[in-house]
Amino acid sequence: MPVPRVEVTPAAEALLHKMQGLHGPLLFHQSGGCCDGSAPMCFPRGDFRVGQEDVYLGQVVGTPFYMSGSQFEYWRHTHLTVDVVPGRGSGFSVEAPEGVRFLIRSRLFTDDEYRSMEAEGPPLKGVQH
């Protein structure tokens, strides 16, 4: 079984279900830009264009998670967990009106996890949903 690169906390899962009910199918993107760069942005799928160099890390609650290719080079050794915390993040992310924001918690992959992922080959790039 493949090692997941991204997972969610129960609180983030509950919020994603709520947001899917309001907005339909969603996607996450983490760009690493200057504004909210460490916070994953959550968009209705039709409202964000995934680039050819964006790396597909997997799905959480039926929601694809992408990271910019340049950002992935820094995070390739890192397992991501999407969580939710009180506060306002970016006004562009669907959870902003809820008074909460998605946040990434991270840890390094174990040596065994990383070896397993390396054996699977690199993650896919571009649209995968």
Side-chain angles (χ1 to χ4, degrees):
M1 183 169 181
V3 175
R5 289 184 175 275
V6 62
E7 297 180 290
V8 295
T9 63
E13 181 176 353
L15 182 58
L16 266 173
H17 283 300
K18 180 178 180 180
M19 296 296 96
Q20 289 166 338
L22 293 171
H23 302 282
L26 303 169
L27 71 79
F28 276 112
H29 189 271
Q30 185 160 340
S31 69
C34 65
C35 303
D36 296 314
S38 61
M41 305 293 281
C42 190
F43 304 102
R45 281 196 203 166
D47 288 1
F48 185 87
R49 176 180 272 167
V50 174
Q52 292 179 337
E53 293 301 312
D54 287 334
V55 177
Y56 174 70
L57 299 182
Q59 287 204 17
V60 291
V61 193
T63 301
F65 192 106
Y66 296 92
M67 180 179 281
S68 70
S70 60
Q71 186 74 355
F72 178 73
E73 292 306 313
Y74 293 107
W75 290 69
R76 70 179 320 117
H77 301 90
T78 309
H79 176 273
L80 307 178
T81 301
V82 179
D83 200 358
V84 61
V85 295
R88 289 196 47 96
S90 170
F92 297 111
S93 196
V94 295
E95 81 282 4
E98 304 295 316
V100 295
R101 63 188 181 95
F102 288 113
L103 176 82
I104 290 295
R105 300 194 187 279
S106 62
R107 67 169 174 82
L108 291 177
F109 286 113
T110 66
D111 290 341
D112 288 341
E113 287 172 326
Y114 194 73
R115 277 192 293 275
S116 177
M117 287 187 306
E118 287 294 302
E120 294 168 15
L124 300 171
K125 291 186 177 183
V127 177
Q128 302 300 315
H129 60 269

